[in-house]
Amino acid sequence: METVEMNSVALKRPHAEDDGANADEIKRQKISEKSKTGNDSGQSVETVTEQPDRSLLEDTKNEIIPNEESEEQEDEELEDSDEDGDPESFADMMKHGLTESDVGITKFVSSHKGFSGILKERYSDFVVHEIGKDGRVSHLDDFSVPVDDEVNFEDPSEETFAVLSDEDKQRLEELQLLKNKETSVAIEVIEDTKEKRTVIHQAVKSLFPGLETKTEDRDGKKYIIAYHAAGKKALANPRKHSWPKSRGSYCHFVLYKENKDTMDAINVLSKFLRVKPNIFSYMGTKDKRAITVQEIAVLRITAQRLAHLNKCLMNFKLGNFSYKNHPLKLGELQGNHFTVVLRNITGTDDQIEQAMQSLREIGFINYYGMQRFGTTAVPTYQIGRAILQNNWNEVMDLILKPRPGAEKGYLVKCREEWAKTKDPAAALKKLPVKRCVEGQLLRGLLKYGMKNIISAFGIIPRNNRLMYIHSYQSYVWNNMVSKRIEEYGLRAVPGDLTLKGATAVHIEEGDVDNYTIHDVVMPLPGFDVIYPKHKIGEAYKEMLVADNLDINNMRHKIRDYSLSGAYRKIIIRPQNVSWEVVAYDDPRIPLFTTDLDKLEGKPLPVLPTDGKFRALKMEFSLPPSTYATMAIREVLKMDTSIKNQTQLNTTWLR
């Protein structure tokens, strides 16, 4: 559920219209009409028709790629620039973006009348706490550093972090990583004392593990000489030379962050610690425009060094430190707990009660949210489809061609150059930030040539390449689940699939009364998926045939792009659902306290009983790979796309 804040995308002028999304919509409508029947479930199932008068803000995923290597400072500065623009112009640009119906999100399962409210008017209105595999909710509630059993090992003092100059650190890092031919680095000791020399020795050894130090006299001056303890052997695992055997190799900690996504946060932490981002591990990515609390593990970095960052960094806090012998793995979490405030709501008390009771008792359609599909007129699922079709020229064209929509100015210039010259070197020169998908692909084309697009595309980090085909899977699944709800409503029917353990089985005619809609799963297209024995199975096949794909053979000649099958529940019923309506006058004040507020002793906000605005504060827990915005969509009955929301209200950008 990793997302990027909407106003982090700057403005561009529209280019020629792209007709891909419209073609997909026509195709989907034809498939839908071909097997449409009435709904006899007894439940109200609506198509999105209402246009509310206020904005529900949906964060989106752009194509900025977190590189595995440390990036140049210039990249970071450019990444943060070019963000401001006239809100109305932004709304105009987003007219070319996607709506929910473009990606198959068309149904509701509740019968209440929709109302409006503003989501994420402040990023602190959306708080996420990770739920670990043991069911424990992660909270930041302790800043203390654990004491080692091994008393001979000393963590560096606070003075250590400031004793070396930036130039010293740069030279030492190059020595540590064998980036030059130097065999040692000499650091002159100014104001020579034994204490000062000791601090420098500690600083070098703690900040650059694998280096050893000694003191030498040169021309009447004292120098600390840093050198490799074991050459390339030390480089292979430099931290082992200074890590107690009795201590677990991984420091686990709780990361509290505000308005930063998970990979951005890890890149910042790695930069300040002067380590590579890949020594960090985590169980799931979290939203940017939110306050999020999650567990992180890092290889052989002390809790004291991590705790020091609390004094250096804005919008981050680290705590609840412990040493363990294992890293964290993606997907190990049980889910996430959400605390969400919808401001300036218009619903009556009765409407709110109906909406929240329905969310608690029925749930919501388990759609993939809008952030899965990108923000421009070239949706990520179109690129995924081209990969699955083995149409690499189209993959290259879709990623690099000009498109209408909101993008950073340098990307616009890069695309224009590409359209004009088809010269990867010329286009790359227009792109000062090289760690985006476009920059990676252009680098690949320079390296491998225009006739080897597959290898050029392979330069993009694997997770980001797979994002495209997973987006296509999500696009198909959204369309099919909408059709399933339309055909059969909110009841289990013969031919549906349910899970028994890890195995999918068909629900037979005689057993249908033993199942509810909450037991039903639907497959994501892949080569090892069992397809249902009713109309939806045929609809899957028709949709993929229209895309020149064979549902019975999703193997790709490049193994990475072979879609593996999986099953997904069609209705999710949130757990631990609670809510209250509160009144307020000032939209800038928080409406509840965060973990950090509690640690700092901030009191609960005092709210008026007769404020001029009303807000709905809701809490609920969701399993992994489900979207809180889709739950909120069900409550409000609103289109959560940026295209729709920016047309309704752009005051949130000011």
Side-chain angles (χ1 to χ4, degrees):
M1 267 192 345
E2 173 184 336
T3 58
V4 178
E5 185 179 7
M6 278 194 287
N7 59 355
S8 69
V9 184
L11 306 179
K12 70 186 281 281
R13 295 295 173 192
H15 294 278
E17 289 284 341
D18 177 73
D19 293 326
N22 292 335
D24 289 313
E25 170 66 12
I26 293 169
K27 181 192 305 177
R28 190 180 62 254
Q29 287 177 352
K30 287 180 178 177
I31 294 170
S32 177
E33 291 168 2
K34 193 168 182 179
S35 55
K36 183 175 181 181
T37 63
N39 168 37
D40 58 354
S41 67
Q43 296 283 350
S44 173
V45 181
E46 300 179 43
T47 301
V48 182
T49 55
E50 295 186 39
Q51 292 296 321
D53 58 357
R54 291 304 302 263
S55 172
L56 177 144
L57 306 186
E58 170 67 28
D59 285 351
T60 63
K61 191 182 194 85
N62 66 12
E63 293 182 341
I64 298 302
I65 304 303
N67 202 344
E68 292 183 359
E69 302 296 330
S70 296
E71 294 297 332
E72 297 294 330
Q73 185 175 357
E74 290 82 1
D75 273 18
E76 293 171 1
E77 290 171 352
L78 282 162
E79 203 59 46
D80 291 333
S81 66
D82 202 17
E83 291 189 355
D84 297 323
D86 176 64
E88 293 178 358
S89 298
F90 183 87
D92 185 60
M93 294 300 100
M94 287 315 302
K95 289 177 182 176
H96 306 285
L98 298 171
T99 63
E100 287 184 345
S101 61
D102 292 328
V103 295
I105 302 172
T106 59
K107 304 296 180 185
F108 294 108
V109 295
S110 52
S111 58
H112 71 274
K113 182 179 179 182
F115 54 94
S116 65
I118 307 174
L119 174 62
K120 297 188 182 182
E121 185 170 55
R122 308 174 80 243
Y123 66 77
S124 56
D125 287 345
F126 195 91
V127 178
V128 186
H129 287 89
E130 189 171 71
I131 306 172
K133 59 183 178 181
D134 59 357
R136 181 179 56 84
V137 179
S138 291
H139 283 280
L140 181 75
D141 53 22
D142 185 4
F143 284 141
S144 65
V145 173
V147 178
D148 271 315
D149 294 333
E150 189 162 325
V151 296
N152 293 328
F153 183 83
E154 294 183 4
D155 279 331
S157 65
E158 290 296 314
E159 188 180 358
T160 298
F161 295 94
V163 72
L164 298 173
S165 69
D166 288 341
E167 182 182 356
D168 289 336
K169 291 175 183 176
Q170 182 66 34
R171 293 166 61 212
L172 288 164
E173 181 179 29
E174 290 175 354
L175 175 66
Q176 183 194 37
L177 300 179
L178 302 177
K179 285 188 174 181
N180 55 32
K181 296 180 181 179
E182 300 295 329
T183 58
S184 64
V185 167
I187 302 168
E188 184 180 354
V189 183
I190 310 298
E191 301 174 5
D192 178 37
T193 63
K194 184 178 180 180
E195 290 76 15
K196 184 65 176 288
R197 293 196 302 273
T198 299
V199 171
I200 296 176
H201 283 293
Q202 289 178 340
V204 174
K205 291 179 180 180
S206 61
L207 295 176
F208 301 95
L211 296 184
E212 292 293 341
T213 58
K214 60 185 177 181
T215 304
E216 285 187 4
D217 283 310
R218 294 183 180 179
D219 300 325
K221 296 179 180 179
K222 283 283 198 303
Y223 288 86
I224 304 297
I225 309 300
Y227 60 95
H228 263 295
K232 291 186 178 180
K233 290 182 180 179
L235 183 64
N237 193 355
R239 282 174 290 278
K240 75 180 181 182
H241 297 281
S242 58
W243 197 264
K245 293 180 180 179
S246 63
R247 174 194 282 171
S249 293
Y250 295 88
C251 186
H252 287 230
F253 62 95
V254 169
L255 173 65
Y256 170 103
K257 60 182 181 63
E258 300 178 352
N259 211 26
K260 283 278 185 185
D261 69 37
T262 301
M263 276 311 305
D264 282 344
I266 284 175
N267 284 334
V268 170
L269 296 179
S270 63
K271 175 184 174 183
F272 274 80
L273 294 167
R274 304 185 74 81
V275 297
K276 292 185 178 181
N278 59 10
I279 71 170
F280 290 85
S281 58
Y282 49 90
M283 294 183 287
T285 57
K286 301 289 179 281
D287 296 80
K288 176 178 180 178
R289 190 171 171 80
I291 292 174
T292 66
V293 183
Q294 68 182 118
E295 188 173 349
I296 305 286
V298 60
L299 176 64
R300 292 187 174 177
I301 298 291
T302 66
Q304 184 165 341
R305 283 186 69 188
L306 293 167
H308 174 78
L309 297 179
N310 286 331
K311 300 180 180 180
C312 308
L313 299 176
M314 299 274 295
N315 303 324
F316 297 100
K317 289 294 178 185
L318 289 67
N320 296 79
F321 302 104
S322 62
Y323 293 108
K324 299 181 182 179
N325 290 316
H326 59 85
L328 295 169
K329 294 181 181 179
L330 278 171
E332 282 188 326
L333 72 167
Q334 197 175 102
N336 295 286
H337 185 75
F338 297 87
T339 305
V340 178
V341 168
L342 303 176
R343 292 182 182 256
N344 200 20
I345 54 170
T346 62
T348 65
D349 289 345
D350 187 54
Q351 286 175 322
I352 293 166
E353 181 72 16
Q354 287 184 43
M356 294 307 299
Q357 286 288 359
S358 176
L359 183 67
R360 174 187 278 169
E361 295 167 10
I362 300 175
F364 62 97
I365 303 173
N366 192 21
Y367 287 122
Y368 287 96
M370 294 301 296
Q371 58 266 52
R372 191 85 169 185
F373 305 102
T375 60
T376 70
V378 180
T380 51
Y381 74 79
Q382 290 185 2
I383 299 169
R385 179 171 55 202
I387 293 170
L388 295 171
Q389 293 170 340
N390 211 32
N391 188 344
W392 293 100
N393 283 311
E394 185 175 358
V395 171
M396 178 178 67
D397 184 52
L398 286 170
I399 291 174
L400 295 177
K401 72 178 181 178
R403 75 279 307 273
E407 285 195 306
K408 292 182 182 294
Y410 54 77
L411 266 177
V412 177
K413 293 175 183 176
C414 170
R415 296 189 193 286
E416 289 173 343
E417 183 65 33
W418 174 257
K420 184 169 63 176
T421 65
K422 291 293 190 288
D423 180 350
L428 198 58
K429 286 180 181 177
K430 303 287 186 182
L431 198 60
V433 175
K434 305 297 193 293
R435 59 188 175 126
C436 56
V437 164
E438 294 80 3
Q440 297 275 6
L441 179 56
L442 289 168
R443 279 176 169 171
L445 292 170
L446 274 176
K447 182 176 182 179
Y448 295 105
M450 297 285 285
K451 293 185 178 179
N452 196 350
I453 301 171
I454 295 176
S455 295
F457 182 73
I459 281 185
I460 298 169
R462 182 176 183 272
N463 284 350
N464 297 96
R465 286 183 277 123
L466 299 186
M467 172 190 73
Y468 293 120
I469 61 172
H470 293 157
S471 177
Y472 179 74
Q473 275 188 311
S474 304
Y475 168 73
V476 172
W477 196 90
N478 277 1
N479 278 282
M480 291 299 100
V481 77
S482 289
K483 184 161 190 56
R484 163 63 181 77
I485 296 293
E486 180 181 283
E487 290 282 350
Y488 301 109
L490 298 181
R491 57 191 178 92
V493 299
D496 273 336
L497 293 173
T498 189
L499 288 179
K500 292 190 175 178
T503 305
V505 298
H506 292 102
I507 297 175
E508 303 296 341
E509 183 79 44
D511 291 333
V512 72
D513 291 339
N514 297 326
Y515 297 95
T516 71
I517 193 65
H518 300 101
D519 300 312
V520 177
V521 299
M522 286 182 59
L524 290 161
F527 63 82
D528 60 350
V529 161
I530 304 170
Y531 284 85
K533 295 179 178 178
H534 52 45
K535 293 180 181 178
I536 305 305
E538 290 304 313
Y540 266 107
K541 293 178 183 178
E542 290 172 15
M543 187 170 186
L544 268 69
V545 165
D547 285 340
N548 296 315
L549 295 170
D550 181 359
I551 199 165
N552 296 314
N553 182 16
M554 299 301 288
R555 293 184 185 273
H556 197 281
K557 68 177 185 178
I558 301 171
R559 186 176 179 180
D560 265 0
Y561 309 135
S562 291
L563 284 180
S564 58
Y567 300 94
R568 182 175 175 86
K569 285 197 170 187
I570 70 172
I571 301 291
I572 291 293
R573 185 162 45 190
Q575 301 299 305
N576 307 312
V577 179
S578 64
W579 67 93
E580 65 173 321
V581 176
V582 297
Y584 66 101
D585 288 317
D586 186 350
R588 296 168 298 179
I589 65 169
L591 300 182
F592 57 89
T593 53
T594 65
D595 286 1
L596 186 58
D597 292 334
K598 293 171 186 174
L599 270 171
E600 294 177 345
K602 291 184 180 178
L604 283 167
V606 178
L607 300 175
T609 56
D610 56 349
K612 59 184 177 181
F613 302 116
R614 295 159 70 239
L616 172 59
K617 175 187 171 185
M618 62 173 77
E619 293 194 45
F620 52 87
S621 300
L622 294 177
S625 192
T626 54
Y627 289 74
T629 47
M630 293 295 99
I632 294 162
R633 168 188 182 268
E634 186 69 44
V635 170
L636 295 178
K637 298 286 186 74
M638 295 178 69
D639 185 326
T640 61
S641 66
I642 298 181
K643 176 175 181 177
N644 185 57
Q645 301 309 319
T646 51
Q647 310 310 314
L648 298 172
N649 180 5
T650 59
T651 59
W652 53 274
L653 278 175
R654 294 192 173 96

